[in-house]
Amino acid sequence: MSRISFEQLPAEVRQAIADKTGAVQQAVTAPGGMNSGIASVLDTDSGPVFVKGIPADHPQVGAQRREAAVAAQLPASCPRLFWHLELDGWSLLGYEVIDGRHADYAPGSPDLPLVEAALAELQGITAPADVDIKQAVDRWAEYAPPGTLQHFDGDALLHTDFAPDNVLIAGGRARLIDWAWPTRGAGWIDPGALALRLMEAGHLVEAAIEFAGHFPSWRSAPPEALAAFGTATASLWREIAGQDGAVWKRAMAEQAASLARVLSTNQ
């Protein structure tokens, strides 16, 4: 969606933010990202704050509300949410500023142990029962092979999108950001999602699967569950690449197909 600067927000909205943060001395629009109508780092009387927001009538506003609802349940590897405002046609989140860089997933990268530690921390979190978030069985219903959906069910809190843009390296640790799709499901789903992104970064499929095996949830999952995940992931990315033939999406579809073949063989 198109992005505006902080100064272009309605005056009432800017004042409501200042009421939370103290006077705003400077606002710098953040580069990158496609899913926020505003994304700015504010220098305020109470310190730096990252503000992201979306028009309240936008079709994706529900995703931002889910992100806000689940924030209190997230581990320390995730940025702290200070506040959530909805007024004058905007839904806005105020976050802790993470001064970091995107993770490097390349083979041998020193970031990999940090990413592993962050995901291991998340693996210990149970999805909150009182928050309306997506169910893994629903998200993968159209893609999983018949008779396999029960394998996706579980109580773990899942991120599901480990694109390097969603992992910041700062202060010697990995921080998981962008919680637009928090999901309740089987714990092994996140290691599988990360494995595909490792393949995108140049890891051989066997090495990516071995990395997923660092997590007990993956090691203890039935082989038929992992095979179903591979098949479902390949189907999903085949659909994505079919709808938009961007080079990177076609490449992801090819990597997902490779992952599916190996996981199916390992049954």
Side-chain angles (χ1 to χ4, degrees), residues 23-266:
V24 177
Q25 309 298 336
Q26 185 180 28
V28 178
T29 298
M34 300 177 292
N35 297 322
S36 294
I38 179 171
S40 297
V41 176
L42 309 183
D43 180 11
T44 79
D45 283 354
S46 62
V49 179
F50 173 60
V51 175
K52 61 184 287 190
I54 191 171
D57 61 355
H58 193 280
Q60 293 188 31
V61 72
Q64 177 154 292
R65 288 169 179 158
R66 286 193 298 270
E67 183 176 349
V70 79
Q73 311 296 327
L74 301 180
S77 57
C78 303
R80 179 185 171 193
L81 177 66
F82 296 134
W83 41 260
H84 176 206
L85 290 173
E86 299 224 4
L87 75 161
D88 206 5
W90 281 88
S91 174
L92 299 158
L93 305 179
Y95 274 106
E96 169 192 7
V97 172
I98 304 297
D99 185 14
R101 58 174 175 79
H102 296 308
D104 176 8
Y105 286 174
S109 168
D111 292 351
L112 294 176
L114 306 182
V115 175
E116 180 180 345
L119 179 51
E121 184 180 27
L122 176 60
Q123 291 266 283
I125 304 296
T126 299
D130 59 344
V131 176
D132 183 20
I133 60 176
K134 296 287 186 179
Q135 303 284 339
V137 292
D138 295 328
R139 286 190 59 187
W140 275 271
E142 296 183 16
Y143 309 104
T148 65
L149 266 180
Q150 73 277 8
H151 293 302
F152 292 77
D153 194 19
D155 294 322
L157 179 61
L158 307 173
H159 186 287
T160 73
D161 185 0
F162 288 89
D165 287 356
N166 290 338
V167 183
L168 294 178
I169 303 299
R173 66 189 305 189
R175 311 294 296 274
L176 305 178
I177 65 172
D178 197 353
W179 280 85
W181 289 96
T183 300
R184 180 183 291 105
W188 51 261
I189 292 174
D190 267 352
L194 176 58
L196 182 61
R197 291 296 182 173
L198 295 181
M199 293 171 64
E200 180 189 27
H203 293 251
L204 296 176
V205 59
E206 293 82 4
I209 293 172
E210 181 181 359
F211 193 94
H214 293 179
F215 302 93
S217 63
W218 183 272
R219 293 197 304 271
S220 62
E224 57 269 24
L226 305 184
F229 171 79
T231 299
T233 301
S235 178
L236 170 62
W237 279 102
R238 185 166 58 248
E239 177 182 277
I240 292 171
Q243 293 173 346
D244 178 354
V247 172
W248 76 270
K249 292 181 180 179
R250 295 201 305 269
M252 285 292 289
E254 293 173 1
Q255 298 286 10
S258 297
L259 180 64
R261 284 194 295 271
V262 173
L263 291 177
S264 179
T265 301
N266 289 345

